[in-house]
Amino acid sequence: METTVARKRLEEMRDDLDRSISILQGERPGPVAGEGYPQDSADAGSTLSEADRTEAILHSARNQRDEVLAALARIDNDTYGQCVGCGQEIPEGRLDARPDAARCVTCQSKYAKRR
Ligand SMILES: [Zn+2]
């Protein structure tokens, strides 16, 4: 994939994630979100799990954003498309599906297992 194309796709992903993150942060019930907050304590349980769910989505969106930013940095460093694990070229099809992919499939599965 051309790095100009990859950069454009990554910047769009970053912008989408920025939007999602700010929406999720707005939805997250906090000390300031007093209005519209359920008064009935029977709802407290479901509100908590909803907050946990939002937090989990927010967490993964932030991680994803880090991946995208790292991929943009690799374009700047001219190392985009190289696996950060073994240094081999990441197959075109994988980059097409995941422009922010940092590793080839082999290294990614090793990396995922290690965590
Ligand atoms: Zn690799």
Side-chain angles (χ1 to χ4, degrees), residues 64-85:
Q64 172 92 51
R65 188 175 180 277
D66 285 348
E67 296 286 311
V68 170
L69 291 182
L72 283 167
R74 286 196 298 279
I75 292 176
D76 289 337
N77 295 333
D78 222 14
T79 58
Y80 182 76
Q82 285 172 26
C83 172
V84 299

Side-chain angles (χ1 to χ4, degrees), residues 44-97:
S46 63
T47 305
L48 187 68
S49 67
E50 180 74 9
D52 284 349
R53 203 176 58 89
T54 304
E55 200 61 43
I57 298 167
L58 199 50
H59 184 73
S60 78
R62 287 205 184 102
N63 281 348
Q64 172 92 51
R65 188 175 180 277
D66 285 348
E67 296 286 311
V68 170
L69 291 182
L72 283 167
R74 286 196 298 279
I75 292 176
D76 289 337
N77 295 333
D78 222 14
T79 58
Y80 182 76
Q82 285 172 26
C83 172
V84 299
C86 64
Q88 306 243 8
E89 294 277 316
I90 299 172
E92 187 86 356
R94 176 161 168 75
L95 283 176
D96 199 41

Side-chain angles (χ1 to χ4, degrees), residues 83-88 90 102-108:
C83 172
V84 299
C86 64
Q88 306 243 8
I90 299 172
R103 293 170 187 82
C104 67
V105 176
T106 311
C107 291
Q108 183 60 46

